[in-house]
Amino acid sequence: FLDKGEDSITEPELKAALRKRVLAGDFFLVSGGDGRGVIVEKLLDIMADYLPSPLDVDEIWGVNPKTGDQVGRKPDVNEPMAGLAFKIATDPFVGKLIFVRAYSGVIKSGSYVLNTATGEKERIGRIVRMHADKREEIDEIVAGDIAAVLGLKSTFTGHTLSDVAHPVAL
């Protein structure tokens, strides 16, 4: 790697080879750190460079809560919306934040979604992209995005939010 001879590989070639093996599931990267800011940044870089993005995953499978049939959702904005609430936090300025990852479709501020765990329709009040020390209000998130939503009263960790007309429980 450090040898610049004609038989050496470049850093991009090494990264591409490692990423290919990680995506295939037969190679696992290990990193250490102590939680300081510099280490966190390096860990995030490793995640971005080597771990699968939503576009690397063919589709996610769930169950139609009405029929019990298996339902697939591709990571595509043209698919019916499906997202998973994976974290709840309280912000002193805006209240209850529900962190959601959009697996398919588009989640828009002001739209109604079906919480397939409770069977209730809920309205997305606002959507915010969280940064270390600030919030950025946005209008929508698309397949692969992660953001926090406000306004959901009956949604908790592990609940699926889906298109009202095309329900799925992930």
Side-chain angles (χ1 to χ4, degrees), residues 13 16 32 61 63 68 70-73 97 109 112 116 128 133:
E13 290 171 333
W61 289 90
V63 175
Q70 290 278 324
V71 178
R73 291 284 193 271
L97 294 169
S109 181
Y112 283 89
T116 57
V128 291
D133 57 350

Side-chain angles (χ1 to χ4, degrees), residues 8 13 31-33 45 56 68 111 126 154 157 160 165:
S8 66
E13 290 171 333
S31 176
D45 289 342
D56 294 321
S111 67
R126 293 171 36 208
S154 301
T157 303
T160 300

Side-chain angles (χ1 to χ4, degrees), residues 85-100 126-130 135 147-152 155 157:
F86 66 90
K87 180 180 178 177
I88 309 288
T90 302
D91 184 290
F93 299 106
V94 296
K96 182 178 170 185
L97 294 169
I98 299 170
F99 288 81
V100 175
R126 293 171 36 208
I127 302 173
V128 291
R129 180 157 288 133
M130 302 300 290
R135 296 172 304 279
V149 298
L150 293 99
L152 303 179
T155 300
T157 303

Side-chain angles (χ1 to χ4, degrees), residues 76-88:
D76 186 339
V77 296
N78 298 314
E79 287 274 311
M81 188 279 291
L84 187 65
F86 66 90
K87 180 180 178 177
I88 309 288

Side-chain angles (χ1 to χ4, degrees), residues 41-169:
E41 288 178 28
K42 290 189 182 304
L43 184 60
L44 290 173
D45 289 342
I46 288 170
M47 291 169 62
D49 288 343
Y50 300 108
L51 297 182
S53 80
L55 300 177
D56 294 321
V57 179
D58 288 335
E59 64 187 322
I60 188 163
W61 289 90
V63 175
N64 182 319
K66 294 179 182 176
T67 65
D69 295 338
Q70 290 278 324
V71 178
R73 291 284 193 271
K74 294 180 181 171
D76 186 339
V77 296
N78 298 314
E79 287 274 311
M81 188 279 291
L84 187 65
F86 66 90
K87 180 180 178 177
I88 309 288
T90 302
D91 184 290
F93 299 106
V94 296
K96 182 178 170 185
L97 294 169
I98 299 170
F99 288 81
V100 175
R101 176 179 177 201
Y103 280 90
S104 64
V106 179
I107 301 174
K108 295 184 180 204
S109 181
S111 67
Y112 283 89
V113 297
L114 176 67
N115 179 332
T116 57
T118 64
E120 295 179 35
K121 276 179 34 176
E122 294 195 74
R123 185 176 177 276
I124 304 285
R126 293 171 36 208
I127 302 173
V128 291
R129 180 157 288 133
M130 302 300 290
H131 300 280
D133 57 350
K134 63 182 171 77
R135 296 172 304 279
E136 170 192 1
E137 191 155 342
I138 57 177
D139 294 328
E140 65 183 25
I141 58 174
V142 299
D145 286 348
I146 293 175
V149 298
L150 293 99
L152 303 179
K153 298 188 181 4
S154 301
T155 300
F156 296 98
T157 303
H159 287 186
T160 300
L161 304 175
S162 72
D163 186 303
V164 175
H166 302 94
V168 63

Side-chain angles (χ1 to χ4, degrees), residues 15-33:
K15 282 185 173 185
L18 289 173
R19 187 171 199 287
K20 182 178 178 182
R21 299 299 1 127
V22 168
L23 294 179
D26 56 49
F27 189 82
F28 302 93
L29 295 172
V30 178
S31 176

